[in-house]
Amino acid sequence: MTEQGLSVMPRWPLAACYVGDRTVTLLEAEQRRPGAGEVELDVAYTGICGTDLHIVHGAMDARVSLPTVLGHEMSGSIAAVGDGVTGWSVGDHVTVMPLDWCGSCPACRAGHTHVCHNLNFLGIDSPGSMQGRWVVPAGVLVALPPDLPSEVGAMVEPTAVAVHDVRRAALRQGEKAVVVGGGPIGLLVACVARAAGADVLVLELSEQRRALAELLGLKAVDPAGCDIDALVADWTDGAGVTVGFEVSGAVAGLDQAINLLAVRGRLVVVAIHATPPPVNLFRVFWRELTLIGARVYDRSDFEEAIRLLHECAVPAARLITRIEPLSRVAAAFDALESGEAMKILIACGEES
Ligand SMILES: NC(=O)c1ccc[n+]([C@@H]2O[C@H](COP(=O)([O-])OP(=O)(O)OC[C@H]3O[C@@H](n4cnc5c(N)ncnc54)[C@H](O)[C@@H]3O)[C@@H](O)[C@H]2O)c1
Ligand SMILES: [Zn+2]
Ligand SMILES: [Zn+2]
């Protein structure tokens, strides 16, 4: 990724923008007062995730408008409150659930607002949080405990993804589960599943990522470097695991997850595959498997994520490779691209 040459440094507040052509650059953020029903946030940290990388790769060019301000994993505090906003005050410590739904489509009417047919995902469909100040509808705010470190606050959104995935699995105490793919989301899924009482095994190709999984107290193996079928058969007395989480985004990972499931096992599909993957439906039929899709989260997932982080049941801060200032955002994207880093937070405040 490249950063555009800037003859004059733009002034704070700055925004990290995707401007097309695989380029992330800093632009002066649009400044406006919060309108009715809106709040203005002082952004402390914004995490960079795989979705931001997809945007910068151009994979979502049909969806984003340029330049687009990136970012949807954030923490911060309220700087100003617009007319008609109740229950929130300047200085409140918050994160954002970056979903704004229509309220009238079939999904919304059925109560599944998080998968609204007309969903506005803040940071994709509208400006995101990788900027010093961010104006958002008050309805997306989620309160953070005042003593939760802001770095951890920026990990609430990906942790809420993991909480949603585990909830969709209806995971029960003592179940054996595999998580295929030990990236940030996979490791968070594994930690949340463990907190729910499951016995979890992470399958991950990268040695560096397996080492991080072990630092988090998780069991992790290289599926390419061992006889994984035999290992899981041994672990489960020949039955297979009752739950698999597909978090690799790779066809081989999906195949593996299906093959390792016990009779009546459940596969939770978390990963976004670049192209529709082939699925071993014979195995689904033969073992009476259940396939479960899991997309983003709802408010209860955010609240549970905050509780798990606050109680340190999910040690998400250990996933943060480092924190970089906004001025180094292009280099941070490069580090994630190369696989060198797991999670990088961008410090968006004025003094960063
Ligand atoms: N469902 C949702 O709402 C939601 C939300 C956020 C992210 N996602 C998706 O979840 C997926 C994971 O996100 P991430 O940020 O952790 O991605 P990531 O790319 O950092 O992690 C994927 C990991 O899978 C590993 N992997 C690849 N092939 C494998 C295989 N055959 N066996 C074992 N491991 C393998 C890779 O080494 C990598 O560490 C992505 O597809 C992302 O788009 C979904
Ligand atoms: Zn994300
Ligand atoms: Zn809707």
Side-chain angles (χ1 to χ4, degrees), residues 149-234:
S150 295
E151 294 84 343
V152 178
M155 296 297 290
V156 168
E157 193 267 2
T159 306
V161 170
V163 169
H164 187 72
D165 303 338
V166 170
R167 203 190 290 272
R168 291 285 290 144
L171 198 65
R172 292 180 298 271
Q173 175 92 23
E175 280 196 285
K176 291 195 165 93
V178 291
V179 175
V180 184
I185 298 292
L187 293 186
L188 289 168
V189 168
C191 289
V192 172
R194 175 178 59 185
D199 191 2
V200 185
L201 178 66
V202 176
L203 274 50
E204 169 56 51
L205 300 174
S206 147
E207 187 179 356
Q208 205 182 344
R209 291 188 160 190
R210 287 197 306 277
L212 180 55
E214 277 157 17
L215 252 175
L216 298 171
L218 298 163
K219 287 178 287 186
V221 293
D222 176 5
C226 69
D227 184 345
I228 188 69
D229 294 341
L231 190 148
V232 169
D234 191 43

Side-chain angles (χ1 to χ4, degrees), residues 43-46 73-77 93-94 144-156 320 323 345:
V43 181
Y45 298 106
T46 296
E73 306 180 358
M74 63 78 64
S75 62
S77 57
H93 193 40
V94 294
L144 290 174
D147 61 337
L148 190 78
S150 295
E151 294 84 343
V152 178
M155 296 297 290
V156 168
I320 302 169
I323 297 175
L345 302 189

Side-chain angles (χ1 to χ4, degrees), residues 47-52 72-73 121 157-158 161 185 343:
I48 304 176
C49 91
T51 305
D52 301 308
H72 57 271
E73 306 180 358
F121 193 107
E157 193 267 2
V161 170
I185 298 292
K343 176 65 71 184

Side-chain angles (χ1 to χ4, degrees), residues 21 34 38 48 66 77 89 96 98 103 118 124 134 139 141-142 176 194 217 226 261 273 286 304 306 343 347:
D21 200 19
E38 292 183 326
I48 304 176
L66 301 181
S77 57
S89 308
V96 154
N118 309 304
I124 301 177
W134 192 30
L141 297 177
V142 182
K176 291 195 165 93
R194 175 178 59 185
C226 69
L261 286 171
H273 285 249
W286 194 251
E304 175 67 358
I306 291 168
K343 176 65 71 184

